Amino acid sequence: VGVGSRAPETAQRFAARFGIPNAHGSYESLVADPQVDIVYVATPHPMHASNATAALNAGKHVLIEKPFTLNAAEARAIVDLATARRLVVLEAMWTRFLPHMRRIREIIASGALGTVYSVVADHTRDLPDDPKHRLNALELGGGALLDLGIHPISLAWDILGQPQEILSMARFKATGADAEVATIFRHAGGAMSTTISSSDNGGRNVASILGTEARIDIDATWYAPTSFRLVDSQDKVIESYVSEVPGRGMQFQADEIERLVAAGTLAGDILPP
């Protein structure tokens, strides 16, 4: 319906490229647009909180790119404001809503894995090393944790629930941004998750969910539409899943917030605030 940018010419170029009818030369103008119901905040990390606040104060539901905000205090403020105004706020953790992840949750709920004790995942990419690039500049929320690590951490939470104990270590760049971060979480029942994320070396980008009776091996790239196998303790493949999703699969998170708005509910089961 509309796009907003800090400069009119930028908004106009984007609108022309994607056939968007309304180009706004400021974010304030966009959130004031009466035709707009939901605002997708896709600005750099440090702007998420202020942009979402403006949209919520204008009465718009909000889909916020990950990371939701830079820190927990900002996140709580956004969720409290959305709740007070009876508006939907959803993190754009697109992986949660992909069909292969929905099927994986069904398999786990069926008990096919037995007791799930471990999640292992990596998100390792060879990304630009320019110190001024948003990935490396602290003032732009740079670092592997917020840009990449959030994916496997969200997977661990999705499968095993909120961590009860958190251990982590990182390797830093000259800018002070983290180039690599590793985490070990302990979850309920003694389950553990391990993740590693890096912005300066490319890896396999696969994940495994391990249970007492079977495991799920998710192929590269596990956080995008992909395939997986359910394998029993004797290494026999019980189920093979092949994704038939066109493109990157961003449409499913949009479907989710539209569904929540239409139903008049503030939170879904897959990713509540």
Side-chain angles (χ1 to χ4, degrees):
V1 172
V3 59
S5 182
R6 291 174 296 174
E9 57 271 19
T10 309
Q12 289 161 7
R13 281 199 304 269
F14 192 90
R17 179 181 176 188
F18 293 103
I20 299 171
N22 299 313
H24 296 275
S26 71
Y27 301 138
E28 293 79 8
S29 176
L30 172 67
V31 300
D33 188 336
Q35 296 185 59
V36 171
D37 299 304
I38 302 170
V39 172
Y40 171 43
V41 175
T43 48
H45 304 341
M47 292 75 172
H48 290 182
S50 60
N51 294 160
T53 297
L56 291 168
N57 281 329
K60 311 301 185 185
H61 306 281
V62 186
L63 179 67
I64 308 178
E65 251 309 323
K66 58 207 172 300
F68 191 76
T69 57
L70 282 183
N71 56 57
E74 289 181 348
R76 291 188 188 101
I78 294 299
V79 171
D80 288 347
L81 177 60
T83 302
R85 297 188 65 89
R86 300 295 299 167
L87 294 166
V88 177
V89 60
L90 180 68
E91 183 180 50
M93 181 52 73
W94 59 308
T95 306
R96 292 273 185 118
F97 308 103
L98 294 175
H100 77 277
M101 286 306 306
R102 291 179 183 268
R103 177 58 188 148
I104 284 171
R105 286 192 291 267
E106 290 174 354
I107 292 171
I108 294 171
S110 75
L113 267 63
T115 302
V116 179
Y117 276 130
S118 183
V119 171
V120 181
D122 76 298
H123 192 178
T124 45
R125 305 272 302 280
D126 187 9
L127 299 175
D129 56 8
D130 180 354
K132 296 181 180 179
H133 192 283
R134 68 168 187 85
L135 288 166
N136 307 312
L138 286 180
E139 66 273 17
L140 294 177
L145 176 63
L146 290 182
D147 208 79
L148 305 175
I150 186 172
H151 287 268
I153 287 171
S154 181
L155 174 69
W157 187 306
D158 188 13
I159 303 303
L160 297 175
Q162 180 174 353
Q164 299 178 344
E165 184 179 359
I166 296 174
L167 301 174
S168 65
M169 63 176 60
R171 172 171 56 83
F172 294 90
K173 296 188 175 184
T175 62
D178 51 298
E180 186 172 28
V181 60
T183 69
I184 302 174
F185 294 167
R186 186 182 301 279
H187 304 261
M192 291 191 291
S193 62
T194 59
T195 80
I196 189 162
S197 303
S198 172
S199 63
D200 61 4
N201 52 66
R204 297 178 62 213
N205 293 302
V206 295
S208 291
I209 302 166
L210 312 177
T212 54
E213 303 298 326
R215 72 179 189 270
I216 294 173
D217 292 330
I218 314 175
D219 295 323
T221 304
W222 66 264
Y223 47 83
T226 191
S227 53
F228 72 81
R229 287 163 308 287
L230 173 63
V231 184
D232 70 14
S233 57
Q234 305 303 312
D235 273 345
K236 177 184 177 182
V237 177
I238 302 171
E239 176 179 333
S240 292
Y241 180 99
V242 178
S243 175
E244 297 179 352
V245 173
R248 297 185 67 196
M250 297 285 184
Q251 62 269 36
F252 296 100
Q253 63 185 9
D255 289 344
E256 174 70 0
I257 193 167
E258 289 183 1
R259 184 187 68 80
L260 293 172
V261 170
T265 182
L266 300 185
D269 295 330
I270 294 177
L271 188 56

